[in-house]
Amino acid sequence: MKIFLDSANLKAIKEWKETGLIDGVTTNPTHLSKEGKDPSAQVKAIAKLLPKGSISVEVTEKKPDAVYKQAMAIAKLARNIVVKIPCHKDYYHVIAQLVKDGVKLNITLVFSLVQALMMAKLGVHYISPFVGRLDDIDVEGVDLLYTIRHMLDEYGFETQLLAASIRGVEHFHAAIMAGSDVITVPIAILEKASQHVLTDQGIAKFDKDWKKLGVRKFP
Ligand code: G3P
């Protein structure tokens, strides 16, 4: 399972890069807006930080022709860029053409099994179902991870399932259990999910017991 950081914050990406656990980054207009920097420069800096990582960058144009042109320009920002396009019917023909043109795509804002099937048929690289936003409308977002996984495996599609809109550790667990190829995790949730109170308590107890031995040098 690959772990992507769902953020455009360079400091956080640098910190987590050191762990060797991060396989990429997903940005979107909200993440880039939060950083308040020139978006092209920010994306290039992220791509340079993780040269072997997958860096998703979303189109912001709305008209199909403009989306196509912007996607081609975004793809040229760095070798490891993946272009994010919302899963909207108006863009299906643009997505089909970009796949033919060899542009790696991450189709975002996926909320249904049929949307996922259509994108897999077009041969896109990633599909990003938004778990949290389905929960927001009282639909079980996790269920969609399982049904998309089943569909991709049943029909032998190579498209990768990228679990997105992750709101808590329970979503992280569910993405693992559902067999997601990738999860993209906000920094705060990754911090929370990678720690456990019993680990902290266990370290403290070992330390307390070890100090009773009074050994100054070991080994
Ligand atoms: O990668 C998509 C993610 O950033 C959206 O998350 O919490 O705004 O639904 P959220």
Side-chain angles (χ1 to χ4, degrees):
M1 184 186 206
K2 291 180 182 170
I3 298 175
F4 292 0
L5 286 180
D6 195 24
S7 170
N9 181 273
L10 283 175
K11 181 173 177 292
I13 295 167
K14 270 181 197 151
E15 282 169 15
W16 276 95
K17 172 188 176 179
E18 296 313 311
T19 67
L21 289 168
I22 305 305
D23 303 294
V25 165
T26 51
T27 71
N28 60 37
T30 304
H31 290 331
L32 286 169
S33 174
K34 268 181 200 163
E35 298 307 310
K37 304 274 178 51
D38 169 65
S40 300
Q42 192 76 4
V43 163
K44 285 178 189 170
I46 294 169
K48 199 171 170 191
L49 251 183
L50 289 172
K52 291 185 180 156
S54 166
I55 314 300
S56 286
V57 182
E58 191 160 337
V59 294
T60 56
E61 293 292 344
K62 295 294 170 289
K63 291 186 179 148
D65 289 351
V67 166
Y68 176 82
K69 288 188 187 115
Q70 189 181 44
M72 294 300 274
I74 288 172
K76 292 187 177 98
L77 284 173
R79 289 167 52 87
N80 51 336
I81 294 287
V82 175
V83 180
K84 257 180 156 180
I85 298 183
C87 191
H88 192 284
K89 183 175 169 302
D90 292 354
Y91 305 142
Y92 286 2
H93 68 289
V94 174
I95 290 166
Q97 187 56 53
L98 286 165
V99 169
K100 284 193 189 102
D101 296 345
V103 178
K104 236 180 193 180
L105 298 178
N106 174 0
I107 305 303
T108 190
L109 293 170
V110 171
F111 294 101
S112 77
L113 183 58
V114 174
Q115 282 181 317
L117 171 74
M118 290 179 176
M119 294 303 105
K121 277 177 64 69
L122 291 180
V124 301
H125 198 72
Y126 299 114
I127 41 179
S128 292
F130 274 37
V131 179
R133 293 195 192 184
L134 282 167
D135 290 356
D136 291 345
I137 60 164
D138 299 322
V139 173
E140 192 58 50
V142 167
D143 288 350
L144 185 59
L145 296 180
Y146 281 91
T147 54
I148 291 176
R149 177 74 278 154
H150 176 77
M151 176 271 291
L152 293 172
D153 296 344
E154 189 72 16
Y155 293 98
F157 288 123
E158 290 184 14
T159 295
Q160 294 188 38
L161 170 53
L162 195 165
S165 185
I166 299 300
R167 302 288 181 78
V169 179
E170 70 287 348
H171 279 170
F172 203 141
H173 292 164
I176 296 168
M177 294 313 291
S180 305
D181 297 291
V182 189
I183 185 170
T184 191
V185 198
I187 305 293
I189 292 165
L190 191 55
E191 295 280 355
K192 192 174 176 188
S194 55
Q195 298 167 34
H196 198 291
V197 61
L198 292 180
T199 304
D200 298 345
Q201 290 173 1
I203 291 168
K205 182 173 185 324
F206 288 156
D207 187 48
K208 184 168 173 256
D209 293 343
W210 183 256
K211 284 192 169 109
K212 288 173 188 167
L213 201 52
V215 167
R216 285 188 181 283
K217 188 174 178 305
F218 175 70

